[in-house]
Amino acid sequence: MSDISSANPAVSSAPLGGPVTMARALNEGLRQAMEDDPKVVIMGEDVGRLGGVFRITDGLQKDFGEDRVIDTPLAESAIIGTAVGLALRGYRPVCEIQFDGFVFPGFDQIVSQVAKIHNRAAGLVRMPITIRIPFGGGIGAIEHHSESPETYFAHTPGLRVVSCSSPSDAYWMIQEAIASDDPVVFFEPKRQYHAAKLPIEPAGTPLDQARVVRPGRDVTVVAYGPTVATALTAAETLKVDGVEAEVIDLRSMSPLDMPTLLDSVRRTGRMVIVHEAPQSFGIGSEIAARVTEQAFYSLEAPVLRVTGFDTPYPPSRLEHDWLPNLDRLLDAVDRIMEF
Amino acid sequence: MTEHVRAVHPEPNMVQLLTPEGQRVEHPDYPLDITDDEIAALYRDLVLVRRIDSEAIALQRQGELGLWASLLGQEAAQIGSGRALKRHDMAFPTYREHGVAWCRDVDALTLLGLYRGTNLGGWDPLANNFNLYTIVIGAQTLHATGYAMGVVRDGAVGTGDPERDTAVLAFFGDGASSQGDVNEAFVWAGAGNLPIVFFCQNNQWAISEPVERQSRVPLFQRAAGFGFPGVRVDGNDVLACLAVTRKHLDNARNAQGPSLIEAFTYRMNPHTTNDDPRRYRALSEAETWKLKDPIERVRAYLTREARVEPEFFAAVEAESLEMAEYVRAGCRAIPDPTPESVFDNVYVDLPDELREQREEFASFVKSVSA
């Protein structure tokens, strides 16, 4: 196990060596975290021999052994609940929830235990647990396989909630999440797993910071996870019409990096937030409320939200209409520019 | 209400080493090598935890505690199992294991904060290897299972080194036995051959629901379906609880996997100080269980069989009076936390957005009190 890097030199040099997919970047990030800290264990359904249904943990059990990459019984509450016990024993568990819609059997353990134990113990114990959840739609899946449940967790004090949108962020953020002494719910945009090969940057951005991924002066578009790609495409399209959109990758939904958001909207005067999760009480709603409270006199127009509708996730033949796609985002930007 | 005593008839094969009349009896599977001095020490434990419990109830009546979950009637189950633990073993309680806390050297006052409303627990689970009280029933059985997974990964099981081999003791009740988490814990512990003993205090009542509402079979028999041994013990017999728990903890430490112990006992008091059992159970039931009192049988044994001098009982009584005074005075001295402390320990480092909320709140509090 100690000879992994020498046995497989491609693995240790790949992240910084050439472009990789997000799936590969996550795999390499997990591998690095396991090499850096022997207390890191990966647990979940099919994560071992199979390497996960998305192959994010591919090869890790072979290299780190069954004690560190654990194929668990099929019980989400137990995946989370036993991670609590492992954390008490000094381990740093990384739980994989197979699909977004399967997190709810583990919801009680996440919100009532993982999120609260540090507080319950008056700070005397820590819960360094990472909960990885592939999320979002657009892959033609059946029910429960395309959801965006991030709001439930962002609403829960004690959790950090983040999402990556690029291979480089995936690589760095998963390592930061695992190193965090707070519990982190880590949302991976499954549609982006194999979307593009991109280089890994030499260093990451702190986990709780948003990032301006494209500067612009006319309108701020806030996205995270799968919608960052949509926002960047929209910005390219808008440029043709002479509209310079600033795209912010939120990265952290809890806590929210308000200074970055406020700095941008004070310059542009307009903000559109785009996410796949249903609209009401969502991340966009919270950002709109805070921007209204803290930058009211900078706003040229009401903050707009482009989101999934307040309906159950639709059957897959309808998902591309339901999802906040490029057309709906461009329409919103048109409206906010004309306001 | 139907007058029935269904809860008082255990299975005939229930393990008992000390009858309600105070007679020592033997059980072929659970021999117990114990001196009269050690039995006297258990008697002291039982009396003192009952005293802590009754003081806490009084403090609730006086408004010093918001709530209390009484252990009355379950002292033997808790002291017997608690004294079976070794220092490096780990215990995962519900919210009623005041007797186990006592065995883990957790100060009685430490338990009061969450019932007084001054904190949510606030102790270090690893300081005495006694986890925080967990109020969502059954949730802690998964935490215990995960801890046992850690013990295995640490190589602290089956080495033959008594200072190293470690077991985990997970407490829950008859009501929690219906929870998915408890059943998931059984699945994981069985499949993983984990060093854990599940200790179910079947006190017959989950608030108002009798154990028949939870199960078609005696609870200890559930273990068979998960592939590990289950045993029912007289939960009012401290010697049987000690012997049975000790043996199954040893099995766990020796890498023989999990066990389920069902301690057959009775919750003599209401579920908590807020409950009114007159609405759902006959008083005669408790009267019947009084004859099986966990302390009286030890006292009878010590008096008649061990010929312990009256001075011993007087000394324990004096100590229990001191304990009562300690709990009373200590409880009243627990200060209220400051309002701003709600922001402490939500995260390891306070995020900026919470810092702002705290500052806003602090200035608001200051403005209205000025």
Side-chain angles (χ1 to χ4, degrees):
Chain A
M1 196 175 78
S2 55
D3 291 321
I4 300 156
S5 49
S6 57
N8 191 351
V11 164
S12 60
S13 60
L16 305 173
V20 294
T21 61
M22 180 182 289
R24 180 72 191 281
L26 285 165
N27 181 272
E28 298 293 355
L30 289 167
R31 177 181 294 279
Q32 191 62 51
M34 295 192 82
E35 283 175 1
D36 290 347
D37 183 350
K39 291 297 187 183
V40 172
V41 292
I42 289 175
M43 53 199 297
E45 299 163 5
D46 306 302
V47 298
R49 186 181 289 194
L50 181 66
V53 294
F54 291 107
R55 308 293 184 266
I56 304 302
T57 54
D58 190 32
L60 297 179
Q61 189 183 63
K62 184 168 76 63
D63 292 337
F64 293 96
E66 294 183 8
D67 271 358
R68 292 191 67 195
V69 182
I70 308 164
D71 272 326
T72 67
L74 272 62
E76 286 80 6
S77 189
I79 292 172
I80 308 298
T82 57
V84 167
L86 278 161
L88 280 171
R89 183 73 189 181
Y91 285 83
R92 209 167 263 277
V94 183
C95 304
E96 177 175 303
I97 298 295
Q98 198 159 70
F99 282 90
D100 33 61
F102 299 160
V103 71
F104 299 105
F107 193 64
D108 171 61
Q109 284 286 347
I110 298 174
V111 302
S112 297
Q113 306 299 333
V114 172
K116 291 180 172 171
I117 286 173
H118 178 66
N119 189 252
R120 187 181 301 152
L124 296 169
V125 289
R126 295 176 176 186
M127 282 290 120
I129 296 172
T130 301
I131 300 166
R132 295 180 39 242
I133 307 178
F135 84 127
I139 63 161
I142 58 169
E143 196 182 7
H144 314 298
H145 292 67
S146 304
E147 298 177 6
S148 298
E150 59 271 20
T151 299
Y152 299 112
F153 303 99
H155 193 67
T156 301
L159 301 175
R160 292 181 181 272
V161 184
V162 303
S163 181
C164 54
S165 70
S166 69
S168 187
D169 259 2
Y171 176 74
W172 291 113
M173 287 173 77
I174 191 63
Q175 294 182 64
E176 290 175 74
I178 293 167
S180 168
D181 283 337
D182 292 318
V184 178
V185 185
F186 191 94
F187 283 99
E188 300 170 2
K190 65 171 88 79
R191 191 165 24 144
Q192 305 294 332
Y193 274 152
H194 301 284
K197 285 188 178 181
L198 292 168
I200 304 298
E201 290 158 27
T205 306
L207 197 61
D208 56 0
Q209 284 183 18
R211 190 172 56 206
V212 177
V213 289
R214 179 192 169 105
R217 59 171 189 273
D218 299 322
V219 57
T220 302
V221 179
V222 181
Y224 57 84
T227 57
V228 173
T230 315
L232 286 170
T233 309
E236 285 299 314
T237 310
L238 290 163
K239 188 183 166 78
V240 178
D241 296 335
V243 175
E244 290 293 341
E246 176 149 301
V247 178
I248 294 179
D249 181 356
L250 191 62
R251 300 174 80 252
S252 174
M253 290 156 269
S254 179
L256 282 173
D257 177 7
M258 286 314 293
T260 298
L261 298 177
L262 291 169
D263 172 69
S264 178
V265 78
R266 283 183 180 127
R267 283 186 283 105
T268 63
R270 294 176 169 85
M271 179 177 278
V272 179
I273 304 144
V274 53
H275 57 62
E276 293 190 6
Q279 182 164 90
S280 295
F281 314 100
I283 303 295
S285 311
E286 178 61 27
I287 292 173
R290 291 200 207 179
V291 165
T292 308
E293 285 174 349
Q294 297 172 40
F296 185 71
Y297 291 106
S298 300
L299 292 177
E300 303 287 344
V303 177
L304 295 184
R305 294 164 293 168
V306 182
T307 68
F309 297 109
D310 291 340
T311 70
Y313 195 88
S316 59
R317 297 261 177 160
L318 298 174
E319 68 180 335
H320 291 289
D321 298 306
W322 187 92
L323 287 167
N325 55 29
L326 179 62
D327 290 340
R328 285 177 56 207
L329 179 54
L330 289 172
D331 176 65
V333 173
D334 284 349
R335 282 187 283 127
I336 207 169
M337 295 309 295
E338 288 165 14
F339 184 83
Chain B
M1 187 187 295
T2 324
E3 294 281 320
H4 64 133
V5 288
R6 79 186 154 78
V8 301
H9 295 300
E11 292 291 296
N13 58 355
M14 182 173 82
V15 178
Q16 192 177 68
L17 298 181
L18 187 65
T19 68
E21 295 74 33
Q23 294 293 320
R24 270 292 265 125
V25 289
E26 296 298 328
H27 190 285
D29 299 333
Y30 297 98
L32 181 65
D33 189 15
I34 191 167
T35 66
D36 285 343
D37 280 351
E38 288 167 333
I39 295 176
L42 292 172
Y43 173 83
R44 171 178 169 271
D45 289 338
L46 294 165
V47 169
L48 291 179
V49 299
R50 180 172 286 185
R51 192 58 190 237
I52 292 167
D53 190 71
S54 61
E55 278 309 310
I57 293 168
L59 285 163
Q60 192 276 338
R61 297 280 179 256
Q62 295 158 22
E64 295 292 336
L65 296 178
L67 185 80
W68 183 252
S70 170
L71 61 51
L72 190 72
Q74 299 176 224
E75 296 90 345
Q78 296 190 13
I79 296 299
S81 58
R83 286 297 179 207
L85 287 161
K86 293 185 176 177
R87 191 147 199 89
H88 57 279
D89 293 331
M90 183 74 190
F92 285 82
T94 70
Y95 44 77
R96 204 190 293 279
E97 269 67 69
H98 321 312
V100 183
W102 169 259
C103 296
R104 303 308 277 167
D105 296 327
V106 175
D107 191 298
L109 297 180
T110 302
L111 305 175
L112 298 184
L114 81 92
Y115 288 107
R116 185 169 164 87
T118 53
N119 64 25
L120 303 169
W123 67 81
D124 180 355
L126 302 181
N128 299 66
N129 286 340
F130 183 73
N131 194 46
L132 292 154
Y133 277 177
T134 302
I135 294 170
V136 176
I137 62 168
Q140 75 284 352
T141 59
L142 285 175
H143 307 164
T145 301
Y147 190 92
M149 290 167 68
V151 168
V152 170
R153 275 154 185 78
D154 291 342
V157 103
T159 69
D161 176 357
E163 296 305 310
R164 179 164 179 80
D165 290 342
T166 301
V168 181
L169 188 55
F171 290 89
F172 64 106
D174 44 298
S177 75
S178 298
Q179 285 278 343
D181 278 3
V182 172
N183 289 274
E184 290 184 17
F186 288 179
V187 167
W188 285 51
N193 196 44
L194 299 177
I196 184 168
V197 174
F198 295 104
F199 194 93
C200 176
Q201 289 168 83
N202 174 0
N203 69 13
Q204 314 301 332
W205 291 95
I207 306 189
S208 71
E209 297 200 7
V211 68
E212 290 90 335
R213 286 275 177 281
Q214 317 291 342
S215 189
R216 183 159 166 161
V217 298
L219 295 175
F220 75 97
Q221 289 182 5
R222 292 228 182 123
F226 296 92
F228 51 83
V231 59
R232 179 177 274 181
V233 59
D234 181 348
N236 287 20
D237 173 354
V238 70
L239 300 186
C241 288
L242 175 66
V244 170
T245 314
R246 190 179 270 171
K247 176 165 178 176
H248 288 276
L249 286 174
D250 269 340
N251 289 349
R253 294 187 202 100
N254 295 334
Q256 292 175 52
S259 315
L260 169 62
I261 299 171
E262 177 192 359
F264 201 81
T265 182
Y266 193 75
R267 193 195 78 210
M268 296 295 285
N269 266 335
H271 165 67
T272 68
T273 45
N274 282 350
D275 179 35
D276 178 10
R278 288 173 305 181
R279 293 177 71 95
Y280 54 80
R281 69 185 189 188
L283 282 174
S284 59
E285 199 174 275
E287 290 303 316
T288 312
W289 275 91
K290 253 187 193 164
L291 303 174
K292 303 165 182 287
D293 185 78
I295 298 183
E296 283 310 311
R297 68 178 75 184
V298 183
R299 189 181 174 104
Y301 170 84
L302 290 174
T303 308
R304 289 204 298 264
E305 308 292 328
R307 306 285 173 192
V308 167
E309 298 296 325
E311 288 76 18
F312 167 76
F313 296 107
V316 170
E317 180 57 22
E319 196 180 356
S320 98
L321 287 174
E322 282 172 31
M323 174 59 72
E325 178 51 35
Y326 174 72
V327 170
R328 269 199 301 277
C331 177
R332 294 195 172 99
I334 299 173
D336 279 352
T338 62
E340 292 84 355
S341 70
V342 296
F343 295 98
D344 295 345
N345 305 310
V346 181
Y347 296 90
V348 172
D349 296 311
L350 192 68
D352 289 341
E353 59 186 32
L354 272 189
R355 190 182 311 281
E356 284 163 23
Q357 284 187 15
R358 185 175 68 182
E359 283 163 10
E360 253 179 60
F361 181 50
S363 64
F364 174 78
V365 168
K366 203 174 165 189
S367 72
V368 293
S369 60

